[in-house]
Amino acid sequence: MQLAKGANTPLRARRIRVETGWRAGPGVPDIDASALLLADGRVRSDADFVFYNQPAHSSGAVRHDGKGSGAGGAADTLTVDLDRVEPAIERIVLAASADGGTFGQVPELHVRVLDADSGEELARYDSQDATVETAFVLGELYLRQGAWKFRAVGQGYGTGLEGLATDFGITVDEPQQAPAPATAPAPQPAAPQAPPAPPAPAAPVRLTKVTLTKEAPAVSLVKQGGTSGTLRVNLSWQVRKQFQGWGAKLGRAMAMHGDLDLDLCALYELTDGRKGVVQALGNAFGSLHQPPYVHLDGDDRTGGTSGENLTVNLDHTAALRRILVFVTIYEGARSFADLDATVTLQPQHGAPVDFSLGECTVPSTVCALALITNTGSDLVVQREANFLVPDRGVSPQRTVDHAYGWGMNWTPGRK
């Protein structure tokens, strides 16, 4: 159902998916979706803010699923389980922020509400009047007489995600001011002992995230606070609808056929010298709680909301020497030339790290994505985005092994 600004509609589903969508392209800022769970118009605490740095509400009612492809373009997605919303929560604000630009630069900005189980579209609102705003409330879920509804809002903010969040009561982490010079206190008369101080408030929300580029390709996970828990590596992709220049010729010559199946994989080397691969091929899915402490969550064929995911156990960093995350085309295409792909590394603690693979201009069927290296005092993520072309008769896995000096023996495998 297409809604005009200010219109509302009842929700027939209890589990819904909220897609904030747009048309990605050169000069278009990245868009990040978020949700604020409100009681009496404000959050009860910073924990009621769900976004890329705080991807799940403690109640399980709202979860930030991350980037993928949506209806005709890119999307950032939230999942909401209305049966798990706490009784005190009467409204869930569905917001978005523009990273590196304004919403006036974002074509086809919209929000879709879908039945999470069937995929049926329940409501859609297309924003038509964005200009200089850097944050937007696109819609809201609200409770009326025991029933949940969706309303199209379309309210913009010029102060970004920080301004939007603070308007609803979120405490945002800011750079610390230098302390004032200490002065000797004046003598004070004796006074009754003060009551104990209240507990210190929870740490403020951190809005920072890291985008790797060719000019700035590496980041320290230690400096970002990602030293424990898990590191989730996600690959999502979509097929380009139009191609230009030499890429168009390559797209026609190496056209896609059937269902596209990309496989996210990882070469690992442990500090005790053991080496191996984690991949769907041969059912080598790895393990999270025993060596190699790297696990492939599944084998996705859509590239959509979930994409392909690897998880690294950072509690066992001392056992890891290096991990090379790469992707191969298993079937459905002969080259990466026609694909837009995004890699996101989300530490359980710390800022997310993301980057785009950029345009592939060679007939590549395997791409090295990121190299994670344990230096002894740091854990460094290096953007590779290295499209490789296997020699005739050489597997993609052997190709990436040779390029990065892993030195493993390979035998044919199948899913």
Side-chain angles (χ1 to χ4, degrees), residues 45-115:
S45 73
D46 293 346
D48 286 341
F49 185 28
V50 177
F51 70 122
Y52 50 77
N53 269 0
Q54 196 163 266
H57 193 261
S58 59
S59 67
V62 183
R63 184 179 73 245
H64 177 249
D65 293 322
K67 301 288 198 314
S69 58
D76 199 15
T77 305
L78 299 158
T79 298
V80 182
D81 187 339
L82 296 172
D83 288 331
R84 302 181 72 172
V85 176
E86 297 161 301
I89 299 300
E90 59 194 25
R91 187 156 59 106
I92 301 174
V93 169
L94 306 171
S97 55
D99 185 14
T102 69
F103 277 102
Q105 302 168 273
V106 180
E108 301 178 29
L109 176 66
H110 64 272
V111 61
R112 301 170 70 219
V113 180
L114 304 102
D115 186 321

Side-chain angles (χ1 to χ4, degrees), residues 2 82 100 112-113 125 146 164 244 292 296 302 306 312-313 321-322 336 364 371-372:
Q2 186 79 39
L82 296 172
R112 301 170 70 219
V113 180
Y125 166 61
L164 185 150
Q244 295 179 351
L296 178 64
T302 67
S306 57
V312 180
N313 190 338
R321 179 168 293 159
R322 57 178 179 156
F336 288 105
S364 170
L371 181 63
I372 305 170

Side-chain angles (χ1 to χ4, degrees), residues 127-322:
S127 173
Q128 305 288 345
D129 52 1
T131 54
V132 298
E133 299 86 354
T134 50
F136 243 94
V137 174
L138 290 168
E140 63 181 12
L141 309 173
Y142 66 100
L143 196 59
R144 282 291 182 274
Q145 298 178 343
W148 284 94
K149 295 184 175 184
F150 169 77
R151 177 186 288 121
V153 177
Q155 178 185 353
Y157 289 73
T159 50
L161 184 60
E162 180 177 350
L164 185 150
T166 53
D167 267 9
F168 288 102
I170 298 294
T171 305
V172 176
D173 192 11
E174 297 179 351
Q176 297 296 312
Q177 299 287 334
T183 56
Q188 298 290 329
Q193 186 173 358
V205 168
R206 295 178 59 192
L207 299 182
T208 54
K209 67 174 183 175
V210 179
T211 297
L212 301 183
T213 63
K214 291 180 181 179
E215 295 73 25
V219 65
S220 161
L221 287 184
V222 170
K223 292 180 180 179
Q224 295 297 321
T227 57
S228 62
T230 58
L231 173 67
R232 180 173 176 262
V233 184
N234 172 264
L235 172 71
S236 61
W237 64 89
Q238 60 182 336
V239 179
R240 295 192 186 104
K241 289 194 173 182
Q242 295 181 350
F243 317 108
Q244 295 179 351
W246 190 85
K249 298 177 184 178
L250 183 64
R252 288 191 293 269
M254 299 192 165
M256 299 186 183
H257 54 86
D259 293 331
L260 178 63
D261 185 9
L262 303 187
D263 283 346
L264 189 62
C265 315
L267 290 173
Y268 64 83
E269 181 180 3
L270 305 182
T271 52
D272 62 10
R274 285 181 288 175
K275 300 177 182 179
V277 65
V278 174
Q279 60 179 5
L281 197 65
N283 294 321
F285 288 95
S287 176
L288 194 60
H289 301 293
Q290 59 187 17
Y293 306 112
V294 181
H295 181 252
L296 178 64
D297 295 355
D299 183 21
D300 181 72
R301 288 173 177 255
T302 67
T305 300
S306 57
E308 294 252 339
N309 298 282
L310 274 166
T311 306
V312 180
N313 190 338
L314 297 181
D315 291 335
H316 293 274
T317 297
L320 302 171
R321 179 168 293 159
R322 57 178 179 156

